[in-house]
Amino acid sequence: MRVEIWSDIACPWCYIGKARFEAGLAAFAHRDGVEVVHRSFELDPNAPAATDIPVVEMLATKYGVSRAQAEAMEARVAEAAAGEGLEYRSDRLHGNTFDLHRLLHLAREHGVQEALLDAFYRANFAEARRLGEPAVLRATAVGAGLPAEEVARVLADPEAYAEEVRAEEREAAELGATGVPFFVIDRRYGISGGQPAEVFREALERAYADGAEPLGAAGDAGVCGDDGCAVPGK
């Protein structure tokens, strides 16, 4: 069984959804037979790589709300993250993630994609590090197990893995993804949003049994789309 997960490092519900999916997978009896592949999705492909725009400021501008309201939105997401045992800082910066996705394709070839994705999430959400700065990005990638010379090669060549990233983004659109995280099981079952762990466990069991109708894309959990991140109970 293969589970493909489209996500973006800038998406808080992808960060939370990954933890919830892993909890659901851990409770699945046939978890050792599940292959997990992470796919690329950019929430804001036009954002500059290096930026000094705080996330709270970006949210206030995007949604047309006050800073206090944007901070309240972030506080609700932080509470959801804490519920999964995740650290979450709202003083991080908003920026482009294209180079991060390119490095994740390199990491897949080296068998350390999961480690790098976790490192990116931790650097962004738990540590509020400036991943848009080349030195920080290189150090994070090398720390996750990628060879320094290959990281430097990819970052020096803007076309390295660029088409692979774009192809996965086109594929997400073809599969009907309107936001992330978006989970696809064996190309037959789709789940949208950072659903509870139990939803993922049940989906895996239904897919394994192979006797149920394909799952619809649930919309009552946290999901990030082109217009921002929906917050349950907002």
Side-chain angles (χ1 to χ4, degrees), residues 114-172:
E114 190 87 22
L116 182 58
L117 182 58
D118 285 340
F120 281 158
Y121 277 145
R122 183 170 59 254
N124 185 41
F125 292 106
E127 301 169 354
R129 300 185 68 198
R130 294 177 176 238
L131 288 172
E133 294 184 359
V136 175
L137 183 54
R138 286 194 299 269
T140 304
V142 172
L146 282 176
E149 64 276 9
E150 293 199 37
V151 171
R153 173 183 60 80
V154 170
L155 293 179
D157 178 5
E159 292 306 312
Y161 300 103
E163 179 52 33
E164 287 85 345
V165 173
R166 296 184 183 112
E168 289 188 350
E169 292 176 334
R170 290 194 298 269
E171 197 170 24

Side-chain angles (χ1 to χ4, degrees), residues 32 35 51 58 60 69 75 83 87-88 101 104 108 158 204-205:
D32 292 341
E35 175 192 11
T51 177
M58 180 275 293
Q69 288 172 310
E87 295 180 63
Y88 189 90
H101 285 293
L104 283 167
R108 185 185 302 167
L204 290 166
E205 289 179 352

Side-chain angles (χ1 to χ4, degrees), residues 1 188-189 202-215:
M1 182 183 296
R188 291 177 293 122
Y189 302 85
E202 291 176 355
L204 290 166
E205 289 179 352
R206 290 178 66 182
Y208 184 81
D210 199 25
E213 292 296 319
L215 298 173

Side-chain angles (χ1 to χ4, degrees), residues 4-18 39-44 97 101 121 168-169 172-173 176-183 191-195 218 221-230:
E4 297 165 276
I5 307 173
W6 274 265
S7 59
D8 191 10
I9 298 88
C11 164
W13 288 106
C14 296
Y15 177 50
I16 295 168
K18 184 177 187 293
R39 305 278 186 204
S40 299
F41 192 103
E42 293 172 274
L43 288 173
D44 190 359
T97 59
H101 285 293
Y121 277 145
E168 289 188 350
E169 292 176 334
T178 58
V180 285
F182 185 61
F183 302 79
I191 307 170
S192 178
Q195 301 288 339
V223 63
C224 295
D226 293 339
D227 59 346
C229 297

Side-chain angles (χ1 to χ4, degrees), residues 26 30 77 92 100 136 139 213:
H30 306 283
V77 180
R92 63 192 189 280
L100 281 68
V136 175
E213 292 296 319

